[in-house]
Amino acid sequence: MTETTVTDAPASADFSHIRVAVVDDHESVRLGLKAAFIEHGYDFVIEAATVDEFVERLAGREVDVVVLDLSLGDGSTVTENVKRVQATGSAVLVHSIADRVASVREALAAGAAGVIPKSSATKTVLAAATTVAKGDVLNNLEWATAIDADRDFAKAQLGRREREILHLYASGLPLKLAAQQLGIGYSTAREYLDRIRVKYVEVGRPAPTKVDLLRRAVEDGILPGLDPDGGDAR
């Protein structure tokens, strides 16, 4: 999985292989997004007002990405909704109004792959859904703002070389190529990566997957750029 920014998809692209659903308690939003996805050739599977309704009507079918409203009117929580959608095998794209930073943070912590404002143009929402459906993480301003507002976590004390490895690897470069770029052996790069994961576990922020490492890198300011003041880990 890689870090990806939103770009408008070309009009000639074939999206028929991308299975999409929308969960939102506003009928006009659901139907508007449904019409847009169908018009642009996506395989639209289902629209629902709640996650309960989504799971029931899905009936075992598979969806690649669910565009999920942050706040549903049935009393369900953000974390509960994200995790229940993920349990169906679908990635989650949060569709949110811009001022709900705390809820956005909660959704990202629960595993949502990205967030897109409800004020976004429809083509931007579709492009974001395409990114998430492909298994990429949507790293955009809304995600960065939510993370930047959260100061309740302890940073892992990574050395300079560890940050360099994390920066390259979490940005999408294979570990072998990251090692080559830094002029070190693959086994050494693997040791650094293992050490990074241990350090994040030690501060209560485990990062077992590459997506988790991307999140940690953004949280700690390692992406999009390196901190030039860090010392070497060796």
Side-chain angles (χ1 to χ4, degrees):
M1 296 185 181
T2 58
E3 169 195 2
T4 308
T5 55
V6 178
T7 56
D8 295 337
S12 60
D14 179 10
F15 301 119
S16 60
H17 62 289
I18 299 179
R19 299 164 296 185
V20 184
V22 173
V23 178
D24 195 299
D25 57 359
H26 291 86
E27 183 180 27
S28 59
V29 174
R30 295 199 310 272
L31 297 183
L33 287 176
K34 176 182 178 180
F37 278 116
I38 292 174
E39 179 184 352
H40 286 81
Y42 291 78
D43 180 4
F44 191 88
V45 179
I46 196 171
E47 47 90 6
T50 66
V51 173
D52 281 339
E53 181 186 354
F54 164 72
V55 172
E56 180 180 355
R57 293 178 60 192
L58 192 61
R61 289 176 291 174
E62 295 183 350
V63 172
D64 297 307
V65 57
V66 171
V67 181
L68 175 66
D69 186 14
L70 259 185
S71 180
L72 300 175
D74 61 347
S76 56
T77 68
V78 173
T79 297
E80 174 188 4
N81 287 335
V82 171
K83 290 190 176 297
R84 287 192 66 200
V85 170
Q86 285 183 313
T88 69
S90 173
V92 176
L93 174 65
V94 169
H95 198 212
S96 167
I97 61 175
D99 60 354
R100 295 180 177 172
V101 176
S103 295
V104 169
R105 291 203 307 267
E106 182 181 348
L108 293 173
V115 56
I116 198 77
K118 285 195 170 181
S119 59
S120 300
T122 301
K123 62 182 180 180
T124 304
V125 178
L126 268 59
T130 302
T131 294
V132 171
K134 293 188 299 183
D136 294 336
V137 175
L138 188 67
N139 185 12
N140 57 3
L141 176 61
E142 287 68 37
W143 184 11
T145 299
I147 289 173
D148 187 58
D150 188 355
R151 299 306 182 194
D152 296 332
F153 55 77
K155 285 190 177 183
Q157 298 303 308
L158 303 183
R160 176 71 181 188
R161 185 63 87 186
E162 289 169 336
R163 284 195 300 275
E164 289 174 342
I165 285 290
L166 180 56
H167 179 274
L168 294 173
Y169 181 67
S171 295
L173 203 64
L175 188 58
K176 183 177 180 179
L177 293 182
Q180 291 176 357
Q181 185 165 325
L182 295 174
I184 61 177
Y186 174 81
S187 61
T188 301
R190 172 57 64 184
E191 289 176 6
Y192 279 125
L193 198 60
D194 291 343
R195 191 184 305 171
I196 290 166
R197 286 196 165 101
V198 168
K199 287 186 175 183
Y200 277 119
V201 168
E202 288 175 346
V203 296
R205 300 162 59 211
T209 70
K210 194 168 187 177
V211 170
D212 292 323
L213 285 172
L214 171 58
R215 293 177 186 275
R216 302 297 172 256
V218 173
E219 289 167 352
D220 286 354
I222 295 167
L223 285 176
L226 292 171
D227 176 1
D229 297 324
D232 190 76
R234 288 181 286 183

